[in-house]
Amino acid sequence: MELILNKKPKRPTIIEGFPGVGFVGTIAAEYMLNHLNAKSIGYLYDPAVPPIAIIHGKETRRLLEIFHAQKENLVFIHAISGVSGLEWEVANEIIELAKILNAKELISLEGVTSPDEAATSRIFIRSNDFKTEKEFLKLGAEKLKEGAVTGVTGALMLSGDHVNSTFLFAETHSRMPDSRASAELIRMLDLYLNLKIDPKPLVKQAEEFENKIKDMIKLGIESQQSHKKDEIQRINYLG
Amino acid sequence: MELILNKKPKRPTIIEGFPGVGFVGTIAAEYMLNHLNAKSIGYLYDPAVPPIAIIHGKETRRLLEIFHAQKENLVFIHAISGVSGLEWEVANEIIELAKILNAKELISLEGVTSPDEAATSRIFIRSNDFKTEKEFLKLGAEKLKEGAVTGVTGALMLSGDHVNSTFLFAETHSRMPDSRASAELIRMLDLYLNLKIDPKPLVKQAEEFENKIKDMIKLGIESQQSHKKDEIQRINYLG
Amino acid sequence: MELILNKKPKRPTIIEGFPGVGFVGTIAAEYMLNHLNAKSIGYLYDPAVPPIAIIHGKETRRLLEIFHAQKENLVFIHAISGVSGLEWEVANEIIELAKILNAKELISLEGVTSPDEAATSRIFIRSNDFKTEKEFLKLGAEKLKEGAVTGVTGALMLSGDHVNSTFLFAETHSRMPDSRASAELIRMLDLYLNLKIDPKPLVKQAEEFENKIKDMIKLGIESQQSHKKDEIQRINYLG
Amino acid sequence: MELILNKKPKRPTIIEGFPGVGFVGTIAAEYMLNHLNAKSIGYLYDPAVPPIAIIHGKETRRLLEIFHAQKENLVFIHAISGVSGLEWEVANEIIELAKILNAKELISLEGVTSPDEAATSRIFIRSNDFKTEKEFLKLGAEKLKEGAVTGVTGALMLSGDHVNSTFLFAETHSRMPDSRASAELIRMLDLYLNLKIDPKPLVKQAEEFENKIKDMIKLGIESQQSHKKDEIQRINYLG
Amino acid sequence: MELILNKKPKRPTIIEGFPGVGFVGTIAAEYMLNHLNAKSIGYLYDPAVPPIAIIHGKETRRLLEIFHAQKENLVFIHAISGVSGLEWEVANEIIELAKILNAKELISLEGVTSPDEAATSRIFIRSNDFKTEKEFLKLGAEKLKEGAVTGVTGALMLSGDHVNSTFLFAETHSRMPDSRASAELIRMLDLYLNLKIDPKPLVKQAEEFENKIKDMIKLGIESQQSHKKDEIQRINYLG
């Protein structure tokens, strides 16, 4: 796997969102990078990642593209699909990216299944940085005490000790894309990062993106290989 | 993957049509190269491409054969099957071909699914050449603003920056071969390239070829490997 | 893949019959080599070819064994199974064999599906030798003008330019072993090669062999790998 | 496969529990290491082991993590999943671990299916150490006289001659996680190792862990690869 | 694949029994080596062979273990499972074993399907040693004149010319383990080798072993890989 970088912003906060329970990481990252008008600064390349060109207005994006929101100095890396079996490698490249950019911190967005049918999703947190954790707890997040996390986020939890890493989990009740849980993630990130995102269009737009992913799932975006990953991804749960 | 070229026409327009939604690229390219009486000038070889000999009158063609219509100086490369997992490589070889022939431009033909049940297919366009785009818009094409493109065409969208590249998408409502959508593609290309193809036999002949592909699908032309590709191909959609 | 030859007859006619539509090539080649009492002169070896010992009277034969009928100077190479994914390699070795033996000509036996429910199978021909083609047309064969040919025969059609190559296709209506179509192939070859095979026991014996293959199919002779090939093989059709 | 060790306790007893019939080894090892408050001292790493981060209170554990209970000088290595196809390698690394730590003995925990529907599970034993075997027989274990053992435990039985190795099998009637059978294993180990574990909360806590594993199974923790392993694992039986 | 030998008996008769139609080779070899109290003298090792430890009284056996009955100077090599895709290699190692031990002869035990529903199984023979064949014909065996033999036995038939090789086939009507057909094989071998095995407990004990194999099949002893082999194995039939 190759890391191609056309620009190297300094001391950014890196936000990653890969497919997991409820696709909440993917949805939240996609929403934020579009909302903040982030621009491509590179991508991860591996011949095993299928060639999917995603058309977004004037841009043509690829899986594992890296975006930068200049004003907020946020770097985003996310994917809708295509990283099955490459989780360790993607995680390694993200840590490499954090080192190259001397990142301030790395924030991972994930879902976690819950039997509770509460109206709003709780947000759970794990962090290797005491101060960050405290701040998120103050904002309403709860500590995640039991669970199993897979995929790129799982790999990052097992490899990312040398970087300030925070993992946020939005409670979700479904394996299908869940834009409401993603919205809760964005709300909390908005407060933490002081982005002042207008929360009104958020749920609506997240729902649109949720529908798009649902379409892609229906249309078979997941290759045979990805099914395998899916099976593993589904085990993110609340202990 | 190897590129074998027996003849090197100069400054041609290259037209590619690979299996995608509605097989419109494959059908349109096949129709045009037969109609223009294009002759084989080489092929792409890879042992992973299955040995399928396609008998066409006196000719014996192979998958990934390259054809040249001398009068119109058009080069065609297309396939009915067999490129699953080789999309990045096929795209690389097509770009290599464009460089070797110093191609004027590269036109990719694809389908895009649409929920609209309109009688005629709209044609959508993406181009990295402003003048070409403008011309197609004048001919009635619309800009493609959202969507995900896979397969060889997806790989070309992500790799083809150094070549004048135009991507045409015919709206289709079905995953089965769609000759009517292909006919719309051909009509627009006819205008753009000033080919003066008599449009009357077009739909009828395209339908015949559509039936042939349907037969091949029924007879199981798609190997296990290709199924995988199919699953990915299906996600070409209108955002 | 290795070519092991214990004897090198000079200037033979090589006849190949590999599994395809109706197994007509396999059945016809097996019948002829048994009828002419051809003797083993070698075989193709590849560890990917499964170890199947075929007991035939006092002989123990293997897949891809090569036989020689001395009086008629005919060399046979055929298989019932086991060449899936090895088609290009088998074809290369057959061409190599033709060169080593300085073969007079190479005759491929195949089936081609047809919707016609005629009582007798028509025989279709493709040849790169004008004289041979003319002779077969005189004997009642018709030119094959449209179709797709896969498997070893497909690979030979795409690779065999340097050898005098003739491809005979017997019309068949079924994907199951078809001894009657094979019988038509043998009748025409008998005339062309002037073998004077008594035609009476032919259909009966071919039927017996057909039943044997059917048994083998029922008993699961086709490995998983072969299924893949089957799917591809089925596309031999009349355009 | 790599063995990473951050600490090297001397002369420990090593206890392994890998997924098998009734998951009894996994459940028993997990219960004991939690109960004894064992701390991570390293892990086995292989890119083929999926990245699953298991959150347990303040700790983040991985598959194939190695734990040490200091007071009792017990080393635990266990997994819930992810070792399919790696059984020989995992077994080799466990033997390597035993050598590096100069382990006193190696105790493997496994399940064995039985048609008997008795209320409590019998414990069966195999040992290459006469004294250990005698002691366990005195504690109520029975000799295992017939059966087939697969997975990591099977590999250890075939490779572990140079280490004092004892294999304990808890009778189970189900392929689903069986905490009651695990509890019997723990009771016997408690006596043998003189751990003085309070037996009262045992069954209850084991049941909770059993439910957790059942959830993970329901949620699809087993990847395609693991299914293969499962099929093999199931053959542990009483001869 | 590696051949590990701890003892090298001189001039033994080697008897092999691998899974095939009715598992008759496996059952017969297992019965005989247990009955004659044969001792392990080595094994074949390959990481692709799954780690299955078979507990038999005080012994722990593995797949592809090699046994020696000293008094009768018989060497046994057999397997219940796990040789799928390794047939050529296993056969090569058996021939290597025969050379190292300077074996007197190699006797392969196999099943062959038959539509006849006769009460007792006929035994068929192929041998490259005229004297041995004559002897078995005198004992009631019949020559096998048509058929296809796969698996390790098939590979041995195609590779074993340099060793005195005899192949015995017991007629069976089922693909499930068939202890009665195995008993017929043992009866004939008993006469040929002059073992004076008491025939009375034979059928009963063979049935017990048959049930054990049936259990293992039910419990899923066959891995995915083995299914492939099974499909091929089933084609052993009477021509």
Side-chain angles (χ1 to χ4, degrees):
Chain A
M1 188 163 281
E2 247 176 295
L3 169 59
I4 289 95
L5 269 185
N6 306 317
K7 222 184 113 184
K8 297 185 184 169
K10 276 177 194 160
R11 294 292 291 160
T13 290
I14 299 176
I15 295 173
E16 67 92 337
F18 282 88
V21 187
F23 283 80
V24 295
T26 302
I27 295 173
E30 172 91 1
Y31 178 82
M32 289 176 76
L33 75 90
N34 285 339
H35 191 90
L36 300 174
N37 204 17
K39 297 299 173 206
S40 170
I41 59 167
Y43 56 92
L44 298 180
Y45 174 75
D46 190 289
V49 174
I52 302 188
I54 298 146
I55 294 168
H56 181 76
K58 287 183 181 171
E59 293 167 49
T60 302
R61 299 170 174 175
R62 61 168 70 216
L63 297 179
L64 296 172
E65 190 133 5
I66 303 166
F67 297 90
H68 183 227
Q70 199 163 355
K71 209 182 102 199
E72 299 81 1
N73 201 18
L74 296 174
V75 163
F76 294 92
I77 178 158
H78 81 317
I80 295 174
S81 172
V83 297
S84 170
L86 302 169
E87 292 90 351
W88 287 115
E89 287 177 70
V90 171
N92 284 346
E93 295 299 336
I94 291 174
I95 291 166
E96 186 63 22
L97 177 70
K99 285 181 190 159
I100 290 172
L101 304 184
N102 191 19
K104 208 179 122 198
E105 61 180 326
L106 169 59
I107 300 178
S108 293
L109 308 181
E110 258 298 349
V112 70
T113 60
S114 158
D116 297 355
E117 292 286 352
T120 50
S121 297
R122 285 180 292 172
I123 301 297
F124 294 90
I125 184 174
R126 296 286 284 189
S127 182
N128 63 7
D129 184 61
F130 176 71
K131 251 180 72 182
T132 306
E133 192 182 71
K134 213 173 128 185
E135 217 170 321
F136 272 105
L137 293 176
K138 220 183 291 176
L139 293 171
E142 303 173 33
K143 281 192 191 181
L144 184 65
K145 286 181 186 159
E146 293 285 330
V149 182
T150 59
V152 172
T153 303
L156 280 172
M157 289 190 98
L158 296 173
S159 328
D161 275 2
H162 312 302
V163 180
N164 270 3
S165 303
T166 298
F167 301 87
L168 297 177
F169 301 87
E171 197 177 22
T172 178
H173 316 302
S174 137
R175 280 196 223 153
M176 289 302 289
D178 181 346
S179 59
R180 286 201 305 176
S182 310
E184 295 303 321
L185 264 186
I186 297 167
R187 270 201 193 101
M188 189 160 289
L189 267 178
D190 183 56
L191 293 172
Y192 174 71
L193 297 168
N194 200 22
L195 301 173
K196 288 172 187 163
I197 295 181
D198 175 14
K200 268 175 276 179
L202 193 152
V203 173
K204 198 176 166 295
Q205 285 180 44
E207 268 171 13
E208 280 169 26
F209 186 66
E210 173 189 331
N211 288 330
K212 201 180 292 183
I213 291 185
K214 281 181 183 164
D215 281 0
M216 293 177 92
I217 291 169
K218 254 186 281 170
L219 289 163
I221 197 176
E222 295 296 327
S223 72
Q224 221 167 355
Q225 196 188 12
S226 307
H227 287 315
K228 218 188 320 179
K229 177 201 58 192
D230 252 19
E231 290 181 65
I232 297 174
Q233 296 280 19
R234 286 178 205 134
I235 75 165
N236 293 18
Y237 73 100
L238 270 173
Chain B
M1 188 164 279
E2 247 176 296
L3 169 58
I4 290 95
L5 270 185
N6 306 318
K7 219 184 116 185
K8 297 184 183 170
K10 274 177 194 160
R11 294 292 291 159
T13 290
I14 300 177
I15 295 173
E16 67 91 339
F18 282 87
V21 186
F23 283 79
V24 295
T26 302
I27 295 173
E30 172 92 0
Y31 178 82
M32 289 176 77
L33 75 89
N34 284 339
H35 192 90
L36 300 174
N37 204 15
K39 298 299 173 206
S40 171
I41 59 168
Y43 57 92
L44 297 181
Y45 173 76
D46 190 287
V49 175
I52 302 186
I54 297 146
I55 295 168
H56 181 76
K58 288 184 179 170
E59 293 168 48
T60 303
R61 297 169 175 176
R62 65 168 67 216
L63 296 179
L64 295 173
E65 189 132 7
I66 302 165
F67 297 91
H68 183 228
Q70 198 163 358
K71 209 182 103 200
E72 298 82 359
N73 200 20
L74 296 175
V75 163
F76 294 92
I77 178 158
H78 82 318
I80 295 174
S81 173
V83 297
S84 170
L86 303 169
E87 293 90 350
W88 287 115
E89 288 177 71
V90 172
N92 283 347
E93 295 298 335
I94 291 175
I95 291 166
E96 185 64 22
L97 177 70
K99 285 180 191 161
I100 290 172
L101 305 183
N102 190 18
K104 207 179 124 201
E105 61 179 327
L106 168 60
I107 299 178
S108 293
L109 308 181
E110 258 298 348
V112 70
T113 59
S114 157
D116 295 356
E117 292 286 353
T120 50
S121 296
R122 285 180 292 171
I123 302 296
F124 293 89
I125 183 173
R126 295 287 284 189
S127 182
N128 64 7
D129 184 61
F130 175 72
K131 253 181 71 183
T132 306
E133 191 181 72
K134 214 173 129 184
E135 218 172 319
F136 273 105
L137 293 176
K138 223 184 288 176
L139 293 171
E142 303 173 33
K143 282 192 191 181
L144 185 65
K145 286 181 186 158
E146 293 286 330
V149 182
T150 60
V152 172
T153 303
L156 280 172
M157 289 190 99
L158 296 173
S159 328
D161 275 1
H162 313 301
V163 180
N164 271 1
S165 303
T166 298
F167 300 87
L168 297 177
F169 301 86
E171 197 178 21
T172 177
H173 316 303
S174 137
R175 280 197 224 152
M176 290 300 291
D178 181 347
S179 59
R180 286 200 306 175
S182 311
E184 295 302 320
L185 263 187
I186 297 166
R187 270 202 192 101
M188 190 160 287
L189 266 178
D190 183 57
L191 293 172
Y192 174 71
L193 297 167
N194 200 20
L195 300 173
K196 288 171 186 163
I197 295 180
D198 175 14
K200 271 176 276 180
L202 194 151
V203 174
K204 199 177 165 294
Q205 285 180 43
E207 268 170 14
E208 280 169 27
F209 186 66
E210 174 189 330
N211 288 331
K212 200 180 291 183
I213 290 185
K214 281 182 183 163
D215 281 359
M216 292 179 92
I217 291 170
K218 254 186 281 170
L219 289 163
I221 196 178
E222 295 295 329
S223 72
Q224 221 167 354
Q225 196 188 12
S226 306
H227 288 315
K228 217 187 324 179
K229 177 201 57 196
D230 253 19
E231 289 181 65
I232 297 175
Q233 296 279 20
R234 284 176 206 137
I235 74 164
N236 293 20
Y237 74 102
L238 270 173
Chain C
M1 188 163 278
E2 247 176 297
L3 169 59
I4 290 94
L5 269 185
N6 306 317
K7 219 183 115 184
K8 296 184 184 170
K10 275 176 194 162
R11 294 292 291 161
T13 290
I14 299 177
I15 295 172
E16 66 91 340
F18 283 87
V21 186
F23 283 79
V24 296
T26 302
I27 295 173
E30 172 91 2
Y31 178 82
M32 289 176 76
L33 75 90
N34 285 339
H35 192 90
L36 300 174
N37 203 15
K39 298 299 174 208
S40 171
I41 59 168
Y43 57 92
L44 297 181
Y45 174 75
D46 190 287
V49 175
I52 302 186
I54 297 145
I55 295 167
H56 181 75
K58 288 183 179 171
E59 293 168 51
T60 302
R61 299 169 175 177
R62 64 166 69 215
L63 297 180
L64 295 172
E65 190 132 4
I66 303 165
F67 297 91
H68 183 227
Q70 198 163 357
K71 209 183 103 200
E72 298 82 0
N73 201 18
L74 295 175
V75 164
F76 294 92
I77 178 157
H78 81 317
I80 295 175
S81 173
V83 296
S84 170
L86 303 169
E87 292 90 350
W88 287 114
E89 287 177 71
V90 171
N92 283 347
E93 294 299 335
I94 291 175
I95 291 166
E96 186 63 23
L97 177 71
K99 284 180 190 161
I100 290 171
L101 304 184
N102 191 17
K104 208 180 122 199
E105 62 180 327
L106 169 60
I107 299 177
S108 293
L109 308 181
E110 258 298 347
V112 70
T113 59
S114 158
D116 296 357
E117 291 286 352
T120 50
S121 296
R122 287 179 292 172
I123 302 296
F124 294 89
I125 184 173
R126 295 287 285 189
S127 182
N128 64 7
D129 185 61
F130 176 72
K131 254 183 70 183
T132 305
E133 190 180 75
K134 216 174 128 184
E135 217 171 320
F136 272 106
L137 293 177
K138 223 186 289 177
L139 293 171
E142 303 173 35
K143 282 193 190 182
L144 184 65
K145 286 181 186 157
E146 293 285 332
V149 183
T150 61
V152 173
T153 304
L156 280 172
M157 290 191 99
L158 296 173
S159 326
D161 275 2
H162 313 302
V163 180
N164 271 1
S165 303
T166 298
F167 301 87
L168 297 176
F169 301 86
E171 197 177 22
T172 177
H173 316 303
S174 139
R175 280 195 225 154
M176 290 300 291
D178 181 347
S179 59
R180 287 200 306 176
S182 310
E184 295 303 320
L185 262 187
I186 297 166
R187 271 202 192 101
M188 189 160 289
L189 265 178
D190 182 57
L191 294 172
Y192 173 71
L193 296 167
N194 201 20
L195 301 173
K196 287 172 187 163
I197 295 180
D198 175 13
K200 270 176 280 182
L202 194 150
V203 173
K204 198 176 166 295
Q205 285 179 45
E207 269 170 13
E208 280 169 26
F209 186 67
E210 174 189 331
N211 288 331
K212 200 180 292 183
I213 290 185
K214 281 182 183 164
D215 281 359
M216 294 178 91
I217 290 171
K218 254 185 283 169
L219 288 163
I221 195 178
E222 296 295 329
S223 72
Q224 220 169 353
Q225 197 187 11
S226 306
H227 288 313
K228 215 185 327 179
K229 177 201 59 196
D230 253 19
E231 290 180 62
I232 297 174
Q233 296 280 20
R234 286 176 203 138
I235 75 165
N236 293 19
Y237 73 100
L238 271 172
Chain D
M1 188 164 280
E2 247 176 295
L3 169 58
I4 290 94
L5 268 185
N6 306 318
K7 221 185 114 184
K8 296 184 183 169
K10 275 177 194 160
R11 293 294 291 162
T13 291
I14 299 176
I15 295 173
E16 67 92 338
F18 282 88
V21 186
F23 283 79
V24 295
T26 302
I27 296 173
E30 172 91 1
Y31 178 81
M32 290 176 75
L33 75 89
N34 284 339
H35 192 90
L36 300 174
N37 204 15
K39 297 300 173 205
S40 170
I41 58 167
Y43 57 90
L44 298 180
Y45 174 75
D46 190 289
V49 175
I52 302 187
I54 298 146
I55 295 168
H56 181 76
K58 287 182 182 171
E59 294 168 48
T60 302
R61 299 170 175 176
R62 61 168 72 216
L63 297 179
L64 296 172
E65 190 132 6
I66 302 166
F67 297 91
H68 183 227
Q70 198 164 355
K71 210 183 100 199
E72 299 81 1
N73 202 16
L74 295 175
V75 164
F76 294 91
I77 178 159
H78 81 316
I80 295 175
S81 172
V83 297
S84 169
L86 303 169
E87 293 90 349
W88 286 114
E89 286 177 71
V90 172
N92 284 347
E93 294 299 336
I94 291 175
I95 291 166
E96 185 62 22
L97 177 70
K99 285 181 190 158
I100 289 172
L101 304 184
N102 191 18
K104 208 180 122 201
E105 62 180 325
L106 169 60
I107 300 178
S108 293
L109 308 181
E110 258 297 350
V112 70
T113 59
S114 156
D116 296 358
E117 292 286 352
T120 51
S121 296
R122 286 180 292 173
I123 303 295
F124 293 89
I125 184 175
R126 295 287 283 190
S127 183
N128 64 8
D129 185 61
F130 176 72
K131 251 182 70 182
T132 306
E133 191 182 71
K134 214 174 127 185
E135 217 169 321
F136 272 106
L137 293 176
K138 221 183 291 176
L139 293 171
E142 303 173 33
K143 282 192 190 183
L144 184 65
K145 285 180 186 159
E146 293 285 331
V149 182
T150 60
V152 172
T153 303
L156 279 172
M157 291 190 97
L158 296 173
S159 326
D161 276 1
H162 312 302
V163 180
N164 271 2
S165 302
T166 298
F167 300 87
L168 296 176
F169 301 86
E171 197 177 21
T172 178
H173 316 303
S174 138
R175 280 196 224 151
M176 288 303 289
D178 181 347
S179 58
R180 286 202 305 176
S182 310
E184 295 303 321
L185 263 186
I186 296 168
R187 270 204 193 99
M188 189 159 290
L189 265 178
D190 182 56
L191 293 172
Y192 174 71
L193 297 168
N194 200 20
L195 300 173
K196 290 174 185 160
I197 295 181
D198 175 14
K200 268 174 276 177
L202 194 151
V203 173
K204 197 175 167 296
Q205 284 179 45
E207 267 170 14
E208 279 168 27
F209 186 65
E210 173 189 334
N211 288 331
K212 201 179 292 184
I213 291 185
K214 280 181 184 164
D215 281 359
M216 294 177 91
I217 291 170
K218 252 185 282 168
L219 288 162
I221 197 175
E222 297 295 329
S223 72
Q224 220 168 356
Q225 197 187 11
S226 306
H227 288 314
K228 218 188 322 181
K229 177 201 58 194
D230 254 19
E231 290 180 62
I232 297 175
Q233 296 279 20
R234 285 180 205 133
I235 75 166
N236 293 17
Y237 73 100
L238 270 173
Chain E
M1 188 164 279
E2 249 176 296
L3 169 59
I4 290 95
L5 268 184
N6 306 317
K7 219 184 116 183
K8 296 184 184 172
K10 275 177 194 163
R11 293 293 292 161
T13 290
I14 299 176
I15 295 173
E16 66 91 340
F18 282 88
V21 186
F23 283 79
V24 295
T26 302
I27 295 173
E30 172 91 1
Y31 178 82
M32 290 177 76
L33 75 90
N34 284 339
H35 191 91
L36 299 175
N37 204 15
K39 297 300 174 207
S40 171
I41 58 167
Y43 57 92
L44 297 181
Y45 174 75
D46 190 287
V49 175
I52 301 187
I54 297 146
I55 295 168
H56 181 76
K58 287 181 181 172
E59 294 167 49
T60 303
R61 298 169 175 177
R62 62 167 72 217
L63 297 180
L64 296 172
E65 189 131 5
I66 303 165
F67 297 91
H68 184 227
Q70 198 164 356
K71 209 181 101 199
E72 299 82 0
N73 201 18
L74 295 175
V75 164
F76 293 92
I77 177 159
H78 82 316
I80 295 175
S81 173
V83 296
S84 171
L86 302 168
E87 293 89 350
W88 288 114
E89 286 176 71
V90 172
N92 284 348
E93 294 299 336
I94 291 175
I95 291 166
E96 186 61 24
L97 177 70
K99 284 180 190 160
I100 289 172
L101 304 184
N102 192 16
K104 207 178 124 202
E105 62 180 325
L106 170 59
I107 300 178
S108 294
L109 308 182
E110 257 299 347
V112 70
T113 59
S114 156
D116 296 357
E117 291 286 353
T120 51
S121 295
R122 287 179 291 173
I123 302 296
F124 294 89
I125 185 175
R126 296 285 287 188
S127 183
N128 64 7
D129 184 62
F130 176 71
K131 254 182 68 183
T132 306
E133 190 181 74
K134 216 174 126 183
E135 217 169 319
F136 272 105
L137 293 177
K138 223 185 287 174
L139 293 171
E142 304 173 34
K143 282 192 191 183
L144 184 65
K145 285 180 187 159
E146 293 286 331
V149 182
T150 60
V152 172
T153 303
L156 280 172
M157 291 191 97
L158 296 173
S159 326
D161 275 1
H162 312 301
V163 180
N164 272 1
S165 303
T166 298
F167 301 87
L168 296 177
F169 301 86
E171 198 176 22
T172 177
H173 315 303
S174 138
R175 280 196 223 154
M176 288 303 289
D178 181 346
S179 58
R180 287 202 304 176
S182 310
E184 295 302 320
L185 263 186
I186 297 168
R187 272 206 191 96
M188 189 159 289
L189 266 178
D190 183 56
L191 293 172
Y192 174 71
L193 296 168
N194 200 20
L195 300 174
K196 290 174 186 159
I197 295 180
D198 175 12
K200 269 175 279 181
L202 194 150
V203 173
K204 198 176 166 294
Q205 284 179 45
E207 268 170 12
E208 279 168 26
F209 186 65
E210 174 189 333
N211 287 331
K212 200 179 292 184
I213 291 186
K214 281 180 183 166
D215 280 358
M216 294 178 90
I217 291 170
K218 255 186 282 168
L219 287 163
I221 196 177
E222 296 295 329
S223 71
Q224 222 168 352
Q225 198 188 11
S226 307
H227 288 314
K228 218 185 329 180
K229 176 201 60 195
D230 252 20
E231 290 181 64
I232 297 174
Q233 295 281 19
R234 286 177 203 136
I235 76 166
N236 293 18
Y237 73 101
L238 271 173

